Amino acid sequence: MNQNSINLSLAAYFNDIVLYFYEDTSLVESMGLEFGFDINKDIFLAMSFLYPSDTVVEYDAKKQLQDILAPTVQCGPINRTINSQQFLLADKGVSLFLIGPNKSELIDDSKILTEQALELIHTNLPNARIRIGIGTPETGLAGIVTSFRHAIQAVTTGEKFKNKREVLDYISMEIYSAINAMVIAYGENLIGTIIKQLTDEEQLILGKYYKCKENVADTAKGLSLSEDEVLRCFEQIKNRIGLDVNDTEDNFKLNFIMIAKRVLEKEKKKR
C-alpha cells in the first residue's frame, strides 16, 4: 500500500494485507482507523465461502455470490458501521473479515452470520455446493493473514475429511490439516507396504467400516454383505498383516491408513 491507495474499499484494503502488498505499516494502521477500527487492538475473523476445488468458478459467479451475501456484513459489530465493499474475491468464491472488539463476541457473531449465509445460499443458489470456512480470531497484520489462511485451509481440509459438512471452522479441522500435510508429504512411504498387502475387497470393507464409525452392522448393510463376511474380512487382515481392528493401537493404524489412502487418491485426481 502507498499514499495513493487511501481511497481503497475495505475489501481491497484486506486483499493488500493478505498479499503482503503494503509498503508502510504506519499507513496501513492509519487507514484502518479511517475505516473505524484499530488494527492492533480489534479482532479479525476471516470467513470464506467457496465452491468445490474441482470446479471452475467464473468472475460472474463470484460477483453473484458476493451480492447474495452482502446483507451478512451487518452481523459484524464494526462491519455494520463501514459503508464500503467488504467481500474479497477469492479463487473459488469470496471471503470476508468480521471485525469486533473481543473474541467471544466475534465468535458469536460468526455463528449468526453463518446461519444467515446458509439461508441466503440455499434460497438463491439451491443447486450450488458452497462450503463456509471459518478462520481463527486474530489481531494485527500478521493475524489477519493467519486468519485468512486458516479459513481457506478449513475448507480445503474439510473437502477431504468432512465432505458432507457445509460449515468448517479451522479449530475443529486443525488436526485434519496436520494429518493432511503429513500424508501428502509422507503418505506413500507410510502406507505403501500395508496397502499392497490388502485386497481391493479388504480395502473397500475397511474404508466403509471407518466411515460407519466402526459399526459392523452398518458396514455390512452399506455393502450388501452379511456381518459374518465383514468379520471374516477382518480376520483375514489380522492373519495376513498382523493388524487387528479389535486392538486399539492396530485399529488406529488401520484407520489412519484408510484416511491416508483417501487423501492421496483425491490429490491424484487434482493433478
Side-chain angles (χ1 to χ4, degrees):
M1 286 182 186
N2 51 46
Q3 190 61 46
N4 293 328
S5 42
I6 198 69
N7 294 320
L8 285 175
S9 68
L10 187 60
Y13 172 83
F14 279 126
N15 184 71
D16 286 355
I17 291 175
V18 168
L19 296 177
Y20 297 102
F21 193 59
Y22 49 83
E23 300 170 6
D24 186 337
T25 301
S26 297
L27 177 61
V28 177
E29 293 172 355
S30 66
M31 288 177 66
L33 292 174
E34 289 190 28
F35 280 118
F37 55 82
D38 188 327
I39 202 167
N40 295 311
K41 293 182 179 180
D42 287 317
I43 311 298
F44 303 87
L45 179 64
M47 301 186 68
S48 292
F49 308 83
L50 307 178
Y51 284 87
S53 60
D54 59 355
T55 61
V56 176
V57 187
E58 302 291 346
Y59 174 79
D60 288 346
K62 298 177 189 178
K63 290 292 290 183
Q64 181 186 25
L65 182 57
Q66 174 182 284
D67 292 340
I68 289 170
L69 295 173
T72 63
V73 300
Q74 296 300 314
C75 295
I78 293 178
N79 298 76
R80 67 173 65 102
T81 69
I82 301 173
N83 184 22
S84 172
Q85 174 54 250
Q86 298 189 38
F87 279 93
L88 293 71
L89 297 185
D91 183 36
K92 297 295 181 180
V94 299
S95 295
L96 169 75
F97 282 93
L98 275 183
I99 313 168
N102 62 71
K103 289 186 178 182
S104 59
E105 181 180 347
L106 208 56
I107 290 173
D108 289 341
D109 291 332
S110 71
K111 294 176 182 177
I112 297 172
L113 189 153
T114 297
E115 290 179 3
Q116 291 188 10
L118 287 174
E119 184 176 350
L120 289 169
I121 290 169
H122 293 161
T123 300
N124 294 281
L125 299 170
N127 298 318
R129 184 72 171 95
I130 295 171
R131 295 180 177 87
I132 301 175
I134 304 173
T136 46
E138 308 281 352
T139 191
L141 288 171
I144 288 171
V145 176
T146 298
S147 187
F148 179 79
R149 289 181 175 174
H150 283 173
I152 299 293
Q153 197 171 353
V155 174
T156 302
T157 305
E159 275 194 315
K160 297 176 182 178
F161 294 95
K162 301 291 180 180
N163 190 46
K164 294 182 180 179
R165 191 178 295 180
E166 289 182 288
V167 182
L168 301 146
D169 67 279
Y170 180 80
I171 292 175
S172 65
M173 296 303 299
E174 188 172 14
I175 183 63
Y176 296 105
S177 295
I179 291 173
N180 184 61
M182 182 172 65
V183 169
I184 291 174
Y186 307 108
E188 296 288 358
N189 293 332
L190 286 171
I191 72 171
T193 302
I194 293 177
I195 283 291
K196 289 176 183 176
Q197 296 182 67
L198 298 176
T199 66
D200 290 343
E201 182 183 31
E202 289 167 347
Q203 292 180 41
L204 177 66
I205 293 173
L206 266 181
K208 190 67 174 179
Y209 177 64
Y210 293 117
K211 284 185 178 179
C212 292
K213 303 186 185 302
E214 303 180 28
N215 184 296
V216 173
D218 289 345
T219 302
K221 183 178 179 181
L223 294 174
S224 299
L225 298 172
S226 69
E227 292 184 32
D228 284 342
E229 287 176 306
V230 173
L231 293 173
R232 191 157 50 245
C233 169
F234 294 159
E235 190 65 25
Q236 291 171 350
I237 292 172
K238 177 183 175 182
N239 291 337
R240 187 180 312 115
I241 63 177
L243 295 178
D244 184 359
V245 296
N246 296 309
D247 178 88
T248 301
E249 185 174 341
D250 288 353
N251 189 53
F252 172 82
K253 292 176 182 176
L254 287 168
N255 194 358
F256 178 81
I257 287 165
M258 299 315 297
I259 290 173
K261 176 177 180 288
R262 190 165 72 248
V263 170
L264 290 173
E265 286 174 347
K266 290 186 177 182
E267 282 298 311
K268 288 178 181 177
K269 287 180 181 179
K270 284 185 181 180
R271 298 168 190 164

